[in-house]
Short mmCIF file of all heavy atoms in Angstrom, two decimals:
data_model
loop_
_atom_site.label_atom_id
_atom_site.label_comp_id
_atom_site.label_asym_id
_atom_site.label_seq_id
_atom_site.Cartn_x
_atom_site.Cartn_y
_atom_site.Cartn_z
N PHE A 1453 51.44 -50.38 -71.06
CA PHE A 1453 51.43 -50.24 -72.52
C PHE A 1453 52.80 -49.97 -73.14
O PHE A 1453 52.99 -50.20 -74.33
CB PHE A 1453 50.49 -49.10 -72.92
CG PHE A 1453 49.10 -49.22 -72.38
CD1 PHE A 1453 48.68 -48.43 -71.32
CD2 PHE A 1453 48.20 -50.15 -72.90
CE1 PHE A 1453 47.40 -48.55 -70.81
CE2 PHE A 1453 46.93 -50.28 -72.40
CZ PHE A 1453 46.51 -49.48 -71.34
N VAL A 1454 53.75 -49.48 -72.33
CA VAL A 1454 55.02 -49.01 -72.88
C VAL A 1454 56.12 -50.04 -72.65
O VAL A 1454 56.32 -50.53 -71.54
CB VAL A 1454 55.43 -47.66 -72.25
CG1 VAL A 1454 56.83 -47.26 -72.69
CG2 VAL A 1454 54.42 -46.59 -72.65
N SER A 1455 56.85 -50.35 -73.72
CA SER A 1455 57.98 -51.27 -73.64
C SER A 1455 59.24 -50.54 -73.16
O SER A 1455 59.96 -51.03 -72.29
CB SER A 1455 58.24 -51.89 -75.01
OG SER A 1455 59.42 -52.66 -75.01
N GLU A 1456 59.52 -49.36 -73.73
CA GLU A 1456 60.64 -48.55 -73.29
C GLU A 1456 60.49 -47.13 -73.83
O GLU A 1456 59.71 -46.89 -74.76
CB GLU A 1456 61.98 -49.14 -73.73
CG GLU A 1456 62.19 -49.20 -75.23
CD GLU A 1456 63.54 -49.81 -75.60
OE1 GLU A 1456 64.19 -50.41 -74.74
OE2 GLU A 1456 63.93 -49.65 -76.77
N ILE A 1457 61.21 -46.20 -73.23
CA ILE A 1457 61.24 -44.81 -73.68
C ILE A 1457 62.69 -44.43 -73.90
O ILE A 1457 63.55 -44.67 -73.04
CB ILE A 1457 60.57 -43.87 -72.67
CG1 ILE A 1457 59.08 -44.19 -72.55
CG2 ILE A 1457 60.76 -42.40 -73.08
CD1 ILE A 1457 58.33 -43.35 -71.52
N ARG A 1458 62.94 -43.81 -75.05
CA ARG A 1458 64.32 -43.42 -75.38
C ARG A 1458 64.38 -41.91 -75.60
O ARG A 1458 63.51 -41.35 -76.29
CB ARG A 1458 64.78 -44.13 -76.66
CG ARG A 1458 64.75 -45.64 -76.55
CD ARG A 1458 65.12 -46.27 -77.88
NE ARG A 1458 65.28 -47.71 -77.78
CZ ARG A 1458 65.83 -48.46 -78.71
NH1 ARG A 1458 66.26 -47.89 -79.84
NH2 ARG A 1458 65.96 -49.75 -78.55
N CYS A 1459 65.38 -41.29 -75.04
CA CYS A 1459 65.62 -39.86 -75.24
C CYS A 1459 66.98 -39.68 -75.90
O CYS A 1459 67.98 -40.22 -75.42
CB CYS A 1459 65.59 -39.11 -73.91
SG CYS A 1459 63.99 -39.16 -73.08
N TYR A 1460 67.00 -38.95 -77.01
CA TYR A 1460 68.21 -38.85 -77.82
C TYR A 1460 68.70 -37.41 -77.94
O TYR A 1460 67.91 -36.47 -78.11
CB TYR A 1460 67.94 -39.35 -79.25
CG TYR A 1460 67.72 -40.83 -79.38
CD1 TYR A 1460 66.43 -41.36 -79.40
CD2 TYR A 1460 68.79 -41.70 -79.52
CE1 TYR A 1460 66.22 -42.73 -79.55
CE2 TYR A 1460 68.59 -43.07 -79.67
CZ TYR A 1460 67.30 -43.57 -79.69
OH TYR A 1460 67.10 -44.92 -79.84
N GLY A 1461 70.02 -37.27 -77.89
CA GLY A 1461 70.69 -36.02 -78.23
C GLY A 1461 71.90 -36.37 -79.07
O GLY A 1461 73.03 -36.41 -78.56
N LEU A 1462 71.70 -36.68 -80.34
CA LEU A 1462 72.76 -37.14 -81.24
C LEU A 1462 73.22 -35.98 -82.12
O LEU A 1462 72.38 -35.27 -82.69
CB LEU A 1462 72.26 -38.30 -82.10
CG LEU A 1462 71.59 -39.46 -81.35
CD1 LEU A 1462 71.15 -40.54 -82.33
CD2 LEU A 1462 72.51 -40.04 -80.28
N GLU A 1463 74.52 -35.81 -82.25
CA GLU A 1463 75.07 -34.68 -82.99
C GLU A 1463 76.19 -35.12 -83.92
O GLU A 1463 76.94 -36.05 -83.59
CB GLU A 1463 75.62 -33.62 -82.04
CG GLU A 1463 74.59 -33.04 -81.08
CD GLU A 1463 75.20 -32.05 -80.13
OE1 GLU A 1463 76.10 -32.44 -79.36
OE2 GLU A 1463 74.77 -30.88 -80.14
N SER A 1464 76.31 -34.44 -85.05
CA SER A 1464 77.42 -34.72 -85.96
C SER A 1464 78.62 -33.82 -85.66
O SER A 1464 79.73 -34.13 -86.08
CB SER A 1464 76.98 -34.49 -87.41
OG SER A 1464 76.53 -33.16 -87.60
N ILE A 1465 78.39 -32.72 -84.93
CA ILE A 1465 79.48 -31.79 -84.63
C ILE A 1465 80.50 -32.45 -83.70
O ILE A 1465 80.19 -33.39 -82.97
CB ILE A 1465 78.96 -30.49 -83.99
CG1 ILE A 1465 78.28 -30.79 -82.64
CG2 ILE A 1465 78.02 -29.76 -84.92
CD1 ILE A 1465 77.95 -29.55 -81.85
N LEU A 1466 81.72 -31.92 -83.74
CA LEU A 1466 82.78 -32.39 -82.86
C LEU A 1466 82.91 -31.44 -81.66
O LEU A 1466 82.32 -30.36 -81.66
CB LEU A 1466 84.10 -32.48 -83.62
CG LEU A 1466 84.09 -33.29 -84.93
CD1 LEU A 1466 85.48 -33.30 -85.55
CD2 LEU A 1466 83.59 -34.70 -84.68
N VAL A 1467 83.65 -31.87 -80.69
CA VAL A 1467 83.87 -31.01 -79.52
C VAL A 1467 84.64 -29.77 -79.93
O VAL A 1467 84.29 -28.64 -79.56
CB VAL A 1467 84.63 -31.78 -78.42
CG1 VAL A 1467 84.98 -30.86 -77.26
CG2 VAL A 1467 83.79 -32.96 -77.93
N GLY A 1468 85.69 -29.95 -80.72
CA GLY A 1468 86.49 -28.82 -81.19
C GLY A 1468 87.56 -28.41 -80.19
O GLY A 1468 87.40 -28.58 -78.98
N LYS A 1469 88.65 -27.86 -80.69
CA LYS A 1469 89.77 -27.48 -79.83
C LYS A 1469 89.37 -26.39 -78.84
O LYS A 1469 89.85 -26.36 -77.71
CB LYS A 1469 90.94 -27.02 -80.69
CG LYS A 1469 91.58 -28.14 -81.49
CD LYS A 1469 92.80 -27.65 -82.26
CE LYS A 1469 93.45 -28.80 -83.03
NZ LYS A 1469 94.64 -28.34 -83.79
N GLU A 1470 88.48 -25.48 -79.28
CA GLU A 1470 88.13 -24.36 -78.40
C GLU A 1470 87.32 -24.81 -77.19
O GLU A 1470 87.31 -24.14 -76.16
CB GLU A 1470 87.36 -23.29 -79.19
CG GLU A 1470 86.01 -23.71 -79.74
CD GLU A 1470 86.10 -24.51 -81.03
OE1 GLU A 1470 87.23 -24.74 -81.51
OE2 GLU A 1470 85.04 -24.91 -81.55
N ARG A 1471 86.62 -25.96 -77.28
CA ARG A 1471 85.83 -26.45 -76.15
C ARG A 1471 86.48 -27.66 -75.49
O ARG A 1471 85.94 -28.22 -74.54
CB ARG A 1471 84.41 -26.85 -76.60
CG ARG A 1471 83.57 -25.70 -77.08
CD ARG A 1471 82.12 -26.11 -77.27
NE ARG A 1471 81.42 -26.27 -76.00
CZ ARG A 1471 80.72 -27.33 -75.64
NH1 ARG A 1471 80.63 -28.37 -76.44
NH2 ARG A 1471 80.10 -27.38 -74.48
N GLY A 1472 87.65 -28.05 -75.98
CA GLY A 1472 88.30 -29.24 -75.45
C GLY A 1472 88.59 -29.16 -73.97
O GLY A 1472 88.35 -30.11 -73.21
N SER A 1473 89.11 -28.02 -73.50
CA SER A 1473 89.45 -27.90 -72.07
C SER A 1473 88.19 -27.93 -71.21
O SER A 1473 88.18 -28.52 -70.12
CB SER A 1473 90.23 -26.61 -71.82
OG SER A 1473 89.47 -25.48 -72.22
N PHE A 1474 87.09 -27.31 -71.71
CA PHE A 1474 85.84 -27.36 -70.96
C PHE A 1474 85.33 -28.79 -70.88
O PHE A 1474 84.90 -29.25 -69.82
CB PHE A 1474 84.80 -26.48 -71.65
CG PHE A 1474 83.38 -26.73 -71.19
CD1 PHE A 1474 82.96 -26.30 -69.94
CD2 PHE A 1474 82.46 -27.40 -71.99
CE1 PHE A 1474 81.67 -26.54 -69.50
CE2 PHE A 1474 81.17 -27.63 -71.56
CZ PHE A 1474 80.78 -27.19 -70.32
N PHE A 1475 85.37 -29.49 -71.99
CA PHE A 1475 84.90 -30.88 -72.03
C PHE A 1475 85.70 -31.74 -71.06
O PHE A 1475 85.15 -32.61 -70.38
CB PHE A 1475 85.03 -31.40 -73.46
CG PHE A 1475 83.89 -32.29 -73.88
CD1 PHE A 1475 82.61 -31.78 -74.01
CD2 PHE A 1475 84.09 -33.62 -74.17
CE1 PHE A 1475 81.56 -32.58 -74.43
CE2 PHE A 1475 83.05 -34.44 -74.58
CZ PHE A 1475 81.78 -33.92 -74.71
N GLU A 1476 87.02 -31.50 -71.02
CA GLU A 1476 87.88 -32.28 -70.13
C GLU A 1476 87.57 -32.00 -68.66
O GLU A 1476 87.81 -32.85 -67.80
CB GLU A 1476 89.34 -31.95 -70.41
CG GLU A 1476 89.89 -32.61 -71.66
CD GLU A 1476 89.93 -34.12 -71.55
OE1 GLU A 1476 90.69 -34.65 -70.72
OE2 GLU A 1476 89.17 -34.78 -72.29
N SER A 1477 87.04 -30.82 -68.37
CA SER A 1477 86.75 -30.47 -66.98
C SER A 1477 85.49 -31.15 -66.47
O SER A 1477 85.24 -31.18 -65.26
CB SER A 1477 86.59 -28.95 -66.84
OG SER A 1477 85.38 -28.50 -67.47
N LEU A 1478 84.68 -31.68 -67.37
CA LEU A 1478 83.44 -32.34 -66.97
C LEU A 1478 83.72 -33.74 -66.47
O LEU A 1478 84.66 -34.40 -66.90
CB LEU A 1478 82.47 -32.41 -68.16
CG LEU A 1478 82.06 -31.07 -68.78
CD1 LEU A 1478 81.20 -31.31 -70.00
CD2 LEU A 1478 81.32 -30.22 -67.77
N ALA A 1479 82.88 -34.20 -65.55
CA ALA A 1479 83.10 -35.50 -64.95
C ALA A 1479 83.01 -36.63 -65.97
O ALA A 1479 83.70 -37.64 -65.87
CB ALA A 1479 82.09 -35.73 -63.83
N ALA A 1480 82.14 -36.46 -66.96
CA ALA A 1480 81.97 -37.53 -67.95
C ALA A 1480 81.62 -36.96 -69.31
O ALA A 1480 80.68 -37.40 -69.97
CB ALA A 1480 80.92 -38.53 -67.50
N GLY A 1481 82.36 -35.97 -69.75
CA GLY A 1481 82.27 -35.47 -71.11
C GLY A 1481 80.86 -35.26 -71.62
O GLY A 1481 80.08 -34.50 -71.07
N SER A 1482 80.53 -35.95 -72.72
CA SER A 1482 79.25 -35.77 -73.40
C SER A 1482 78.07 -36.06 -72.48
O SER A 1482 77.04 -35.39 -72.56
CB SER A 1482 79.18 -36.69 -74.63
OG SER A 1482 77.97 -36.52 -75.32
N TRP A 1483 78.22 -37.04 -71.62
CA TRP A 1483 77.12 -37.39 -70.72
C TRP A 1483 76.81 -36.23 -69.78
O TRP A 1483 75.66 -35.81 -69.63
CB TRP A 1483 77.48 -38.64 -69.93
CG TRP A 1483 76.54 -38.97 -68.81
CD1 TRP A 1483 76.84 -39.06 -67.50
CD2 TRP A 1483 75.15 -39.27 -68.92
NE1 TRP A 1483 75.72 -39.39 -66.78
CE2 TRP A 1483 74.67 -39.52 -67.63
CE3 TRP A 1483 74.26 -39.34 -69.99
CZ2 TRP A 1483 73.34 -39.84 -67.37
CZ3 TRP A 1483 72.93 -39.65 -69.73
CH2 TRP A 1483 72.49 -39.90 -68.44
N THR A 1484 77.84 -35.67 -69.14
CA THR A 1484 77.62 -34.54 -68.25
C THR A 1484 77.14 -33.32 -69.02
O THR A 1484 76.26 -32.58 -68.56
CB THR A 1484 78.92 -34.19 -67.51
OG1 THR A 1484 79.41 -35.37 -66.84
CG2 THR A 1484 78.69 -33.11 -66.48
N ASP A 1485 77.68 -33.10 -70.20
CA ASP A 1485 77.36 -31.92 -71.00
C ASP A 1485 75.90 -31.92 -71.43
O ASP A 1485 75.21 -30.90 -71.38
CB ASP A 1485 78.28 -31.88 -72.23
CG ASP A 1485 78.08 -30.64 -73.07
OD1 ASP A 1485 77.84 -29.57 -72.49
OD2 ASP A 1485 78.17 -30.75 -74.30
N MET A 1486 75.40 -33.07 -71.86
CA MET A 1486 74.07 -33.14 -72.47
C MET A 1486 72.98 -33.58 -71.50
O MET A 1486 71.83 -33.16 -71.62
CB MET A 1486 74.08 -34.11 -73.65
CG MET A 1486 74.93 -33.67 -74.81
SD MET A 1486 74.16 -32.36 -75.76
CE MET A 1486 72.91 -33.29 -76.65
N HIS A 1487 73.34 -34.40 -70.52
CA HIS A 1487 72.31 -35.11 -69.77
C HIS A 1487 71.43 -34.21 -68.91
O HIS A 1487 70.23 -34.14 -69.08
CB HIS A 1487 72.97 -36.21 -68.93
CG HIS A 1487 72.48 -36.25 -67.53
ND1 HIS A 1487 73.01 -35.45 -66.55
CD2 HIS A 1487 71.48 -36.95 -66.95
CE1 HIS A 1487 72.36 -35.68 -65.42
NE2 HIS A 1487 71.45 -36.58 -65.64
N SER A 1488 72.02 -33.48 -67.95
CA SER A 1488 71.19 -32.73 -67.01
C SER A 1488 70.62 -31.47 -67.64
O SER A 1488 69.66 -30.89 -67.13
CB SER A 1488 71.99 -32.36 -65.76
OG SER A 1488 73.12 -31.60 -66.09
N HIS A 1489 71.17 -31.04 -68.80
CA HIS A 1489 70.70 -29.83 -69.44
C HIS A 1489 69.67 -30.11 -70.52
O HIS A 1489 68.90 -29.23 -70.88
CB HIS A 1489 71.88 -29.07 -70.06
CG HIS A 1489 73.01 -28.87 -69.11
ND1 HIS A 1489 74.32 -28.78 -69.51
CD2 HIS A 1489 73.02 -28.74 -67.76
CE1 HIS A 1489 75.09 -28.61 -68.44
NE2 HIS A 1489 74.32 -28.59 -67.39
#
């Protein structure tokens, strides 16, 4: 019955300078940050 399933985590916020170093430490930025959590 299902054609596809989509899961979204869309945000207007930016990473910001205070989280920039943390984001850089991740293997794939937004994907690593949002995906498994």
